[in-house]
Amino acid sequence: KRLPLALTVMLFLSGCQSLQLNFTDENNQGLSEEQISGNVNQEQQTVNEEELENSLTLPSEFFNQVVETNGVNVIQNYENIMALVNKSYYLPETYIPTDLVRANVAYSFGDEQVEKALLRAEAATALEEMFLAAQNEGIELFAVSGYRSYERQEVVFDVEVATNGQEAAAEAVAYPGTSEHQTGLAMDISSRSVGLNLTQEYENTIEGQWLAANAHLYGFILRYPKGKEEITGYKFEPWHFRYVGKAYAGKIYEENLTLEEFFDIVKEI
């Protein structure tokens, strides 16, 4: 007589389970399913990292061209939209972007005509697109501080030193010549939810989370992310966004890289 259908299915499933529990091969003999899965994931991660390094390329003109002056590396191609400005690479004291404009967005200081309202034209257009997209989703953003001249950097740094000391100042404020704000490509952003202040609490707001998740779509990256302080040299700043262009902002965001890490692995072409 034929076995009832339900019994047949049970026997079949039992056999499959036995096969799974006793699965071995010459490469994974005696390993559990979890261990085997872990090995696969680890191998896949290694492959993905190699693929990433092989796939990231950047034209040579986007790499810093530097000349050592008075013991520091001074960037010569300072108009470069991808310029890596940090504690190791300085902008010239005399550098002022030639295409600075005021973006058509809401500012924390209203209509006051000051240098911190300025950005380079390409970055200003991208900022306008990003603010409009946020507004369409019910997110209210305010631009707080954009371009910062070398002279202004000196003032800001000296005030920070006088207030909190040299060591603390170096972690919070860029030494004159090493501020991304001088590029005209960076903007500090805030919202009413944090009193229009620049605070780490911004990370926990709807606006800060929207920016962290969407800024790359408009060419901006969160420049000083949490957990990467030793790499960037600065504390976590959920308000500081740097324009690098949509193509590269997307790659940096997808791979959770800082700009320093990006240049460590990208290949020059």
Side-chain angles (χ1 to χ4, degrees), residues 240-259:
H240 182 110
F241 290 84
R242 158 70 191 275
Y243 182 77
V244 295
K246 293 179 181 179
Y248 300 112
K251 292 181 182 295
I252 291 169
Y253 171 81
E254 290 166 6
E255 303 301 334
N256 190 31
L257 302 172
T258 63
L259 198 55

Side-chain angles (χ1 to χ4, degrees), residues 3-247:
L3 289 172
L5 179 59
L7 179 58
T8 303
V9 171
M10 288 176 62
L11 289 172
F12 174 76
L13 290 176
S14 175
C16 290
Q17 290 171 348
S18 297
L19 286 173
Q20 291 173 349
L21 290 172
N22 295 321
F23 175 79
T24 59
D25 64 26
E26 60 184 11
N27 295 319
N28 295 296
Q29 192 167 14
L31 295 181
S32 67
E33 289 184 65
E34 290 78 7
Q35 289 173 312
I36 293 169
S37 177
N39 287 345
V40 172
N41 290 338
Q42 187 174 13
E43 291 172 1
Q44 186 64 46
Q45 182 178 358
T46 302
V47 171
N48 289 341
E49 289 174 353
E50 292 175 353
E51 289 178 350
L52 174 61
E53 292 184 8
N54 291 331
S55 66
L56 284 179
T57 59
L58 191 67
S60 58
E61 62 263 28
F62 290 120
F63 287 80
N64 283 353
Q65 297 172 16
V66 301
V67 170
E68 186 174 332
T69 305
N70 298 323
V72 300
N73 294 314
V74 181
I75 301 170
Q76 304 300 298
N77 56 332
Y78 33 76
E79 294 288 339
N80 169 21
I81 208 80
M82 290 287 292
L84 176 60
V85 180
N86 57 22
K87 294 182 178 182
S88 298
Y89 297 103
Y90 287 57
L91 288 169
E93 295 182 24
T94 56
Y95 174 57
I96 301 174
T98 58
D99 59 343
L100 291 172
V101 297
R102 182 186 175 102
N104 184 24
V105 299
Y107 286 87
S108 62
F109 45 84
D111 296 329
E112 187 178 356
Q113 300 298 313
V114 288
E115 71 172 27
K116 65 182 180 179
L118 305 177
L119 283 176
R120 288 183 60 182
E122 183 177 338
T125 298
L127 190 76
E128 292 169 359
E129 293 175 356
M130 183 166 71
F131 272 47
L132 180 58
Q135 181 181 335
N136 290 338
E137 294 187 35
I139 303 294
E140 187 179 36
L141 303 175
F142 289 85
V144 176
S145 185
Y147 171 68
R148 189 176 301 157
S149 65
Y150 187 91
E151 291 75 15
R152 179 60 181 165
Q153 291 175 62
E154 289 181 312
V155 172
V156 171
F157 188 80
D158 289 344
V159 169
E160 191 71 22
V161 170
T163 304
N164 299 308
Q166 183 82 24
E167 185 175 347
E171 294 179 356
V173 179
Y175 190 79
T178 66
S179 173
E180 281 199 327
H181 286 281
Q182 191 181 348
T183 66
L185 299 170
M187 179 59 77
D188 294 336
I189 302 172
S190 190
S191 300
R192 296 185 197 273
S193 58
V194 289
L196 300 180
N197 294 315
L198 301 179
T199 170
Q200 290 185 340
E201 290 302 313
Y202 199 47
E203 173 193 20
N204 302 318
T205 67
I206 294 174
E207 299 90 351
Q209 291 169 1
W210 187 93
L211 279 168
N214 292 282
H216 67 283
L217 301 175
Y218 307 94
F220 290 89
I221 59 171
L222 178 61
R223 183 64 179 89
Y224 305 120
K226 180 182 287 188
K228 301 288 184 87
E229 291 86 352
E230 291 188 3
I231 298 172
T232 64
Y234 293 101
K235 65 181 182 180
F236 171 46
E237 295 188 358
W239 62 81
H240 182 110
F241 290 84
R242 158 70 191 275
Y243 182 77
V244 295
K246 293 179 181 179

